Amino acid sequence: MEIIIKNDYDEICSEASQIIFQEWQKKNNIVLGLATGRTPLGVYAKLIDSFKKGELDFSETRAFSLDEYIGLKKDHPQSFAYFMNKNLYHQINIKKENIHGLQGLPEDIDEHCRQYETLIKSVGGIDVQILGIGSNGHIGFNEPSSSLASRTRAKTLTEETIESNRQFFKGEEGIPCYCLTMGIGTILEAKTILLLAFGENKAEAVVNSVEGPVTATVPASALQLHPDVKIILDEDAASLLTRKDYYRWVYSNKKGVERYAKKL
Ligand code: F6R
């Protein structure tokens, strides 16, 4: 795992969008796995900006959403499909047929989830997966106790997650308590994973995920098993890490290691 500690949220988003840009330069038909929520919004804004400046072209990009609420139609303002359209897809030149998401109202949930997995495999897998992290350590909607080998499936949200999402459903009666989510096993198959976190309320989940044991109780700790994960944090989210100086040291000396590795 590479732990990257930045000064603020804007720097987190610059780092993440830069990594996506570099991967896109290597492979224009990049396959992205994308999270919703507050965390990745700034990254999407930077990608849109690069597209508008003509630096990035999404015409061959494919995108897969990480999760979706069960029970919401695609055009519901709180659906993740709506979120992704509004905050990214409608502002770039990604083709409609290259946008993939889990449906909130599938006829057959199990079949729908199986098909989603098959579709991801059929395009060669996800190249870069963007993740946020819940304050309970969830990734996607894989809540604590999710199997570390889980695949795309229906899950019940924890009361904590429902509570944290309540602000988005102002004035509405039924806040969804079920969702579809890529599994932890699905996420771990992405070639590169970027987990982003900012703010003090993520600090405990971050330290447990990065420096704690791998456990289903902290789903993001499963990322320790992945060979190419970058955890990009601000000072607040990194505040409980015990090896901060070491992570900073590694990051600031990275260029030297890369130069050396190329010579070998
Ligand atoms: C969203 C998702 C969730 C969020 C997490 C953090 O698609 O899968 O895991 O990434 O709940 O949410 P924010 O970014 O709103 O703090």
Side-chain angles (χ1 to χ4, degrees), residues 220-254:
S221 66
L223 300 179
Q224 294 178 30
L225 301 170
H226 191 280
D228 186 9
V229 177
K230 295 179 189 355
I231 312 275
I232 312 175
L233 309 167
D234 73 350
E235 293 286 350
D236 288 341
S239 58
L240 298 178
L241 292 171
T242 61
R243 296 185 187 87
K244 263 188 289 187
D245 291 345
Y246 172 66
Y247 306 139
R248 285 203 181 93
W249 167 255
V250 171
Y251 184 69
S252 59
N253 286 290
K254 200 173 149 183

mmCIF file of all heavy atoms in Angstrom, residues 220-254:
data_model
loop_
_atom_site.group_PDB
_atom_site.id
_atom_site.type_symbol
_atom_site.label_atom_id
_atom_site.label_comp_id
_atom_site.label_asym_id
_atom_site.label_seq_id
_atom_site.Cartn_x
_atom_site.Cartn_y
_atom_site.Cartn_z
ATOM 1 N N ALA A 220 -12.396 -2.149 4.606
ATOM 2 C CA ALA A 220 -11.304 -1.541 3.833
ATOM 3 C C ALA A 220 -9.938 -2.141 4.173
ATOM 4 O O ALA A 220 -8.982 -1.980 3.417
ATOM 5 C CB ALA A 220 -11.272 -0.026 4.045
ATOM 6 N N SER A 221 -9.835 -2.865 5.284
ATOM 7 C CA SER A 221 -8.552 -3.494 5.616
ATOM 8 C C SER A 221 -8.195 -4.562 4.579
ATOM 9 O O SER A 221 -7.025 -4.926 4.437
ATOM 10 C CB SER A 221 -8.576 -4.108 7.026
ATOM 11 O OG SER A 221 -9.489 -5.195 7.060
ATOM 12 N N ALA A 222 -9.181 -5.044 3.835
ATOM 13 C CA ALA A 222 -8.923 -6.038 2.781
ATOM 14 C C ALA A 222 -7.994 -5.476 1.713
ATOM 15 O O ALA A 222 -7.324 -6.226 1.006
ATOM 16 C CB ALA A 222 -10.241 -6.486 2.140
ATOM 17 N N LEU A 223 -7.936 -4.141 1.623
ATOM 18 C CA LEU A 223 -7.070 -3.522 0.604
ATOM 19 C C LEU A 223 -5.596 -3.825 0.871
ATOM 20 O O LEU A 223 -4.766 -3.714 -0.022
ATOM 21 C CB LEU A 223 -7.298 -2.006 0.556
ATOM 22 C CG LEU A 223 -8.736 -1.563 0.208
ATOM 23 C CD1 LEU A 223 -8.835 -0.054 0.222
ATOM 24 C CD2 LEU A 223 -9.164 -2.122 -1.149
ATOM 25 N N GLN A 224 -5.267 -4.212 2.097
ATOM 26 C CA GLN A 224 -3.879 -4.604 2.405
ATOM 27 C C GLN A 224 -3.445 -5.795 1.550
ATOM 28 O O GLN A 224 -2.255 -6.043 1.390
ATOM 29 C CB GLN A 224 -3.742 -4.971 3.886
ATOM 30 C CG GLN A 224 -3.947 -3.806 4.836
ATOM 31 C CD GLN A 224 -3.847 -4.240 6.292
ATOM 32 O OE1 GLN A 224 -3.139 -5.176 6.631
ATOM 33 N NE2 GLN A 224 -4.563 -3.553 7.169
ATOM 34 N N LEU A 225 -4.419 -6.533 1.029
ATOM 35 C CA LEU A 225 -4.104 -7.729 0.231
ATOM 36 C C LEU A 225 -3.888 -7.403 -1.246
ATOM 37 O O LEU A 225 -3.574 -8.284 -2.030
ATOM 38 C CB LEU A 225 -5.254 -8.749 0.358
ATOM 39 C CG LEU A 225 -5.564 -9.226 1.779
ATOM 40 C CD1 LEU A 225 -6.861 -10.023 1.804
ATOM 41 C CD2 LEU A 225 -4.408 -10.064 2.317
ATOM 42 N N HIS A 226 -4.093 -6.138 -1.599
ATOM 43 C CA HIS A 226 -4.014 -5.761 -3.020
ATOM 44 C C HIS A 226 -2.621 -5.232 -3.349
ATOM 45 O O HIS A 226 -2.049 -4.457 -2.587
ATOM 46 C CB HIS A 226 -5.088 -4.702 -3.318
ATOM 47 C CG HIS A 226 -5.280 -4.443 -4.767
ATOM 48 N ND1 HIS A 226 -4.441 -3.635 -5.493
ATOM 49 C CD2 HIS A 226 -6.204 -4.902 -5.638
ATOM 50 C CE1 HIS A 226 -4.850 -3.605 -6.746
ATOM 51 N NE2 HIS A 226 -5.921 -4.371 -6.872
ATOM 52 N N PRO A 227 -2.077 -5.595 -4.522
ATOM 53 C CA PRO A 227 -0.700 -5.167 -4.833
ATOM 54 C C PRO A 227 -0.544 -3.716 -5.279
ATOM 55 O O PRO A 227 0.567 -3.200 -5.305
ATOM 56 C CB PRO A 227 -0.297 -6.105 -5.977
ATOM 57 C CG PRO A 227 -1.580 -6.539 -6.593
ATOM 58 C CD PRO A 227 -2.603 -6.541 -5.508
ATOM 59 N N ASP A 228 -1.619 -3.040 -5.649
ATOM 60 C CA ASP A 228 -1.454 -1.655 -6.122
ATOM 61 C C ASP A 228 -2.570 -0.754 -5.596
ATOM 62 O O ASP A 228 -3.515 -0.424 -6.312
ATOM 63 C CB ASP A 228 -1.412 -1.629 -7.661
ATOM 64 C CG ASP A 228 -1.090 -0.229 -8.195
ATOM 65 O OD1 ASP A 228 -0.746 0.655 -7.383
ATOM 66 O OD2 ASP A 228 -1.199 -0.023 -9.414
ATOM 67 N N VAL A 229 -2.442 -0.403 -4.328
ATOM 68 C CA VAL A 229 -3.429 0.480 -3.686
ATOM 69 C C VAL A 229 -2.743 1.767 -3.268
ATOM 70 O O VAL A 229 -1.662 1.732 -2.678
ATOM 71 C CB VAL A 229 -4.010 -0.161 -2.402
ATOM 72 C CG1 VAL A 229 -4.977 0.793 -1.723
ATOM 73 C CG2 VAL A 229 -4.712 -1.441 -2.707
ATOM 74 N N LYS A 230 -3.384 2.877 -3.554
ATOM 75 C CA LYS A 230 -2.898 4.155 -3.049
ATOM 76 C C LYS A 230 -3.985 4.716 -2.134
ATOM 77 O O LYS A 230 -5.142 4.826 -2.545
ATOM 78 C CB LYS A 230 -2.613 5.116 -4.193
ATOM 79 C CG LYS A 230 -1.459 4.627 -5.076
ATOM 80 C CD LYS A 230 -1.214 5.577 -6.197
ATOM 81 C CE LYS A 230 -0.247 5.102 -7.264
ATOM 82 N NZ LYS A 230 0.470 3.865 -7.125
ATOM 83 N N ILE A 231 -3.591 5.037 -0.912
ATOM 84 C CA ILE A 231 -4.520 5.610 0.062
ATOM 85 C C ILE A 231 -4.159 7.090 0.133
ATOM 86 O O ILE A 231 -3.065 7.439 0.591
ATOM 87 C CB ILE A 231 -4.330 4.958 1.461
ATOM 88 C CG1 ILE A 231 -4.293 3.424 1.371
ATOM 89 C CG2 ILE A 231 -5.349 5.479 2.456
ATOM 90 C CD1 ILE A 231 -5.589 2.720 1.376
ATOM 91 N N ILE A 232 -5.038 7.951 -0.348
ATOM 92 C CA ILE A 232 -4.707 9.376 -0.449
ATOM 93 C C ILE A 232 -5.540 10.139 0.593
ATOM 94 O O ILE A 232 -6.775 10.128 0.540
ATOM 95 C CB ILE A 232 -4.963 9.888 -1.881
ATOM 96 C CG1 ILE A 232 -4.339 8.923 -2.907
ATOM 97 C CG2 ILE A 232 -4.399 11.298 -2.057
ATOM 98 C CD1 ILE A 232 -4.628 9.254 -4.354
ATOM 99 N N LEU A 233 -4.827 10.785 1.519
ATOM 100 C CA LEU A 233 -5.487 11.344 2.714
ATOM 101 C C LEU A 233 -5.126 12.796 2.926
ATOM 102 O O LEU A 233 -4.050 13.238 2.500
ATOM 103 C CB LEU A 233 -4.993 10.575 3.951
ATOM 104 C CG LEU A 233 -5.054 9.049 3.889
ATOM 105 C CD1 LEU A 233 -4.244 8.463 5.038
ATOM 106 C CD2 LEU A 233 -6.503 8.584 3.958
ATOM 107 N N ASP A 234 -5.982 13.512 3.651
ATOM 108 C CA ASP A 234 -5.537 14.814 4.150
ATOM 109 C C ASP A 234 -4.999 14.606 5.569
ATOM 110 O O ASP A 234 -5.069 13.482 6.111
ATOM 111 C CB ASP A 234 -6.656 15.874 4.075
ATOM 112 C CG ASP A 234 -7.750 15.670 5.112
ATOM 113 O OD1 ASP A 234 -7.771 14.607 5.786
ATOM 114 O OD2 ASP A 234 -8.607 16.552 5.260
ATOM 115 N N GLU A 235 -4.466 15.668 6.153
ATOM 116 C CA GLU A 235 -3.844 15.558 7.479
ATOM 117 C C GLU A 235 -4.836 15.025 8.519
ATOM 118 O O GLU A 235 -4.470 14.228 9.375
ATOM 119 C CB GLU A 235 -3.327 16.929 7.935
ATOM 120 C CG GLU A 235 -2.167 17.463 7.115
ATOM 121 C CD GLU A 235 -0.855 16.747 7.420
ATOM 122 O OE1 GLU A 235 -0.793 15.977 8.389
ATOM 123 O OE2 GLU A 235 0.112 16.962 6.657
ATOM 124 N N ASP A 236 -6.096 15.476 8.427
ATOM 125 C CA ASP A 236 -7.081 15.051 9.427
ATOM 126 C C ASP A 236 -7.377 13.557 9.326
ATOM 127 O O ASP A 236 -7.424 12.849 10.333
ATOM 128 C CB ASP A 236 -8.391 15.841 9.252
ATOM 129 C CG ASP A 236 -8.239 17.280 9.694
ATOM 130 O OD1 ASP A 236 -7.288 17.561 10.440
ATOM 131 O OD2 ASP A 236 -9.063 18.113 9.278
ATOM 132 N N ALA A 237 -7.584 13.086 8.121
ATOM 133 C CA ALA A 237 -7.891 11.659 7.952
ATOM 134 C C ALA A 237 -6.680 10.798 8.310
ATOM 135 O O ALA A 237 -6.826 9.645 8.718
ATOM 136 C CB ALA A 237 -8.335 11.383 6.517
ATOM 137 N N ALA A 238 -5.479 11.383 8.192
ATOM 138 C CA ALA A 238 -4.248 10.634 8.497
ATOM 139 C C ALA A 238 -3.842 10.781 9.965
ATOM 140 O O ALA A 238 -2.866 10.165 10.408
ATOM 141 C CB ALA A 238 -3.112 11.147 7.608
ATOM 142 N N SER A 239 -4.609 11.566 10.730
ATOM 143 C CA SER A 239 -4.119 11.999 12.046
ATOM 144 C C SER A 239 -3.834 10.861 13.027
ATOM 145 O O SER A 239 -3.013 11.021 13.922
ATOM 146 C CB SER A 239 -5.084 13.010 12.666
ATOM 147 O OG SER A 239 -6.359 12.424 12.770
ATOM 148 N N LEU A 240 -4.483 9.713 12.896
ATOM 149 C CA LEU A 240 -4.244 8.636 13.873
ATOM 150 C C LEU A 240 -3.208 7.613 13.404
ATOM 151 O O LEU A 240 -2.878 6.676 14.136
ATOM 152 C CB LEU A 240 -5.576 7.914 14.183
ATOM 153 C CG LEU A 240 -6.675 8.784 14.821
ATOM 154 C CD1 LEU A 240 -7.950 7.984 15.028
ATOM 155 C CD2 LEU A 240 -6.194 9.352 16.166
ATOM 156 N N LEU A 241 -2.689 7.793 12.203
ATOM 157 C CA LEU A 241 -1.686 6.840 11.707
ATOM 158 C C LEU A 241 -0.408 6.954 12.525
ATOM 159 O O LEU A 241 0.058 8.067 12.803
ATOM 160 C CB LEU A 241 -1.376 7.107 10.228
ATOM 161 C CG LEU A 241 -2.510 6.812 9.240
ATOM 162 C CD1 LEU A 241 -2.152 7.328 7.847
ATOM 163 C CD2 LEU A 241 -2.830 5.322 9.196
ATOM 164 N N THR A 242 0.177 5.830 12.899
ATOM 165 C CA THR A 242 1.365 5.884 13.753
ATOM 166 C C THR A 242 2.651 6.005 12.936
ATOM 167 O O THR A 242 3.689 6.343 13.476
ATOM 168 C CB THR A 242 1.470 4.619 14.634
ATOM 169 O OG1 THR A 242 1.570 3.493 13.763
ATOM 170 C CG2 THR A 242 0.268 4.469 15.547
ATOM 171 N N ARG A 243 2.583 5.662 11.638
ATOM 172 C CA ARG A 243 3.817 5.684 10.836
ATOM 173 C C ARG A 243 3.797 6.793 9.784
ATOM 174 O O ARG A 243 4.327 6.628 8.684
ATOM 175 C CB ARG A 243 4.010 4.327 10.161
ATOM 176 C CG ARG A 243 4.217 3.230 11.152
ATOM 177 C CD ARG A 243 4.537 1.896 10.527
ATOM 178 N NE ARG A 243 4.547 0.877 11.562
ATOM 179 C CZ ARG A 243 3.464 0.216 11.952
ATOM 180 N NH1 ARG A 243 2.298 0.415 11.364
ATOM 181 N NH2 ARG A 243 3.545 -0.687 12.917
ATOM 182 N N LYS A 244 3.164 7.907 10.131
ATOM 183 C CA LYS A 244 3.026 9.021 9.182
ATOM 184 C C LYS A 244 4.368 9.475 8.601
ATOM 185 O O LYS A 244 4.495 9.703 7.412
ATOM 186 C CB LYS A 244 2.378 10.211 9.887
ATOM 187 C CG LYS A 244 0.892 10.287 9.633
ATOM 188 C CD LYS A 244 0.321 11.557 10.181
ATOM 189 C CE LYS A 244 0.310 11.538 11.682
ATOM 190 N NZ LYS A 244 -0.365 12.650 12.305
ATOM 191 N N ASP A 245 5.389 9.592 9.481
ATOM 192 C CA ASP A 245 6.687 10.091 9.009
ATOM 193 C C ASP A 245 7.262 9.148 7.961
ATOM 194 O O ASP A 245 7.842 9.580 6.968
ATOM 195 C CB ASP A 245 7.680 10.230 10.178
ATOM 196 C CG ASP A 245 7.251 11.353 11.103
ATOM 197 O OD1 ASP A 245 6.385 12.163 10.682
ATOM 198 O OD2 ASP A 245 7.763 11.409 12.236
ATOM 199 N N TYR A 246 7.113 7.863 8.217
ATOM 200 C CA TYR A 246 7.623 6.866 7.272
ATOM 201 C C TYR A 246 6.893 6.980 5.926
ATOM 202 O O TYR A 246 7.529 6.979 4.869
ATOM 203 C CB TYR A 246 7.451 5.459 7.860
ATOM 204 C CG TYR A 246 7.766 4.377 6.857
ATOM 205 C CD1 TYR A 246 9.064 4.216 6.365
ATOM 206 C CD2 TYR A 246 6.763 3.526 6.385
ATOM 207 C CE1 TYR A 246 9.350 3.238 5.429
ATOM 208 C CE2 TYR A 246 7.050 2.552 5.450
ATOM 209 C CZ TYR A 246 8.345 2.406 4.967
ATOM 210 O OH TYR A 246 8.611 1.450 4.035
ATOM 211 N N TYR A 247 5.573 7.131 5.952
ATOM 212 C CA TYR A 247 4.805 7.233 4.696
ATOM 213 C C TYR A 247 5.254 8.470 3.908
ATOM 214 O O TYR A 247 5.401 8.429 2.702
ATOM 215 C CB TYR A 247 3.291 7.305 4.953
ATOM 216 C CG TYR A 247 2.755 6.173 5.809
ATOM 217 C CD1 TYR A 247 1.804 6.419 6.808
ATOM 218 C CD2 TYR A 247 3.188 4.865 5.612
ATOM 219 C CE1 TYR A 247 1.315 5.385 7.594
ATOM 220 C CE2 TYR A 247 2.698 3.828 6.411
ATOM 221 C CZ TYR A 247 1.764 4.099 7.406
ATOM 222 O OH TYR A 247 1.294 3.086 8.179
ATOM 223 N N ARG A 248 5.477 9.554 4.646
ATOM 224 C CA ARG A 248 5.913 10.798 3.991
ATOM 225 C C ARG A 248 7.303 10.619 3.370
ATOM 226 O O ARG A 248 7.575 11.069 2.279
ATOM 227 C CB ARG A 248 5.965 11.948 5.006
ATOM 228 C CG ARG A 248 4.598 12.459 5.364
ATOM 229 C CD ARG A 248 4.692 13.894 5.881
ATOM 230 N NE ARG A 248 3.386 14.371 6.250
ATOM 231 C CZ ARG A 248 2.872 14.299 7.469
ATOM 232 N NH1 ARG A 248 3.568 13.771 8.454
ATOM 233 N NH2 ARG A 248 1.661 14.742 7.711
ATOM 234 N N TRP A 249 8.161 9.959 4.125
ATOM 235 C CA TRP A 249 9.532 9.706 3.685
ATOM 236 C C TRP A 249 9.522 8.869 2.391
ATOM 237 O O TRP A 249 10.198 9.187 1.417
ATOM 238 C CB TRP A 249 10.267 8.972 4.816
ATOM 239 C CG TRP A 249 11.586 8.371 4.438
ATOM 240 C CD1 TRP A 249 11.843 7.046 4.225
ATOM 241 C CD2 TRP A 249 12.822 9.057 4.235
ATOM 242 N NE1 TRP A 249 13.159 6.872 3.892
ATOM 243 C CE2 TRP A 249 13.796 8.092 3.898
ATOM 244 C CE3 TRP A 249 13.195 10.407 4.302
ATOM 245 C CZ2 TRP A 249 15.109 8.414 3.626
ATOM 246 C CZ3 TRP A 249 14.516 10.732 4.023
ATOM 247 C CH2 TRP A 249 15.455 9.748 3.695
ATOM 248 N N VAL A 250 8.727 7.823 2.381
ATOM 249 C CA VAL A 250 8.639 6.947 1.206
ATOM 250 C C VAL A 250 8.143 7.749 0.005
ATOM 251 O O VAL A 250 8.711 7.692 -1.087
ATOM 252 C CB VAL A 250 7.678 5.756 1.484
ATOM 253 C CG1 VAL A 250 7.398 4.974 0.200
ATOM 254 C CG2 VAL A 250 8.263 4.838 2.542
ATOM 255 N N TYR A 251 7.103 8.539 0.244
ATOM 256 C CA TYR A 251 6.501 9.310 -0.866
ATOM 257 C C TYR A 251 7.504 10.332 -1.418
ATOM 258 O O TYR A 251 7.656 10.474 -2.623
ATOM 259 C CB TYR A 251 5.232 10.005 -0.373
ATOM 260 C CG TYR A 251 4.502 10.743 -1.471
ATOM 261 C CD1 TYR A 251 3.860 10.046 -2.496
ATOM 262 C CD2 TYR A 251 4.455 12.137 -1.496
ATOM 263 C CE1 TYR A 251 3.189 10.712 -3.514
ATOM 264 C CE2 TYR A 251 3.793 12.816 -2.501
ATOM 265 C CZ TYR A 251 3.161 12.101 -3.499
ATOM 266 O OH TYR A 251 2.507 12.762 -4.503
ATOM 267 N N SER A 252 8.235 11.005 -0.498
ATOM 268 C CA SER A 252 9.135 12.059 -0.999
ATOM 269 C C SER A 252 10.360 11.462 -1.685
ATOM 270 O O SER A 252 11.040 12.132 -2.441
ATOM 271 C CB SER A 252 9.533 13.016 0.122
ATOM 272 O OG SER A 252 10.174 12.291 1.123
ATOM 273 N N ASN A 253 10.641 10.189 -1.458
ATOM 274 C CA ASN A 253 11.791 9.546 -2.106
ATOM 275 C C ASN A 253 11.383 8.637 -3.270
ATOM 276 O O ASN A 253 12.220 7.911 -3.804
ATOM 277 C CB ASN A 253 12.574 8.719 -1.075
ATOM 278 C CG ASN A 253 13.364 9.635 -0.159
ATOM 279 O OD1 ASN A 253 14.331 10.259 -0.575
ATOM 280 N ND2 ASN A 253 12.913 9.750 1.068
ATOM 281 N N LYS A 254 10.137 8.713 -3.624
ATOM 282 C CA LYS A 254 9.586 7.806 -4.636
ATOM 283 C C LYS A 254 10.298 7.916 -5.988
ATOM 284 O O LYS A 254 10.620 6.919 -6.611
ATOM 285 C CB LYS A 254 8.113 8.172 -4.812
ATOM 286 C CG LYS A 254 7.272 7.105 -5.429
ATOM 287 C CD LYS A 254 5.842 7.543 -5.367
ATOM 288 C CE LYS A 254 5.076 6.982 -6.535
ATOM 289 N NZ LYS A 254 3.716 7.444 -6.543
#
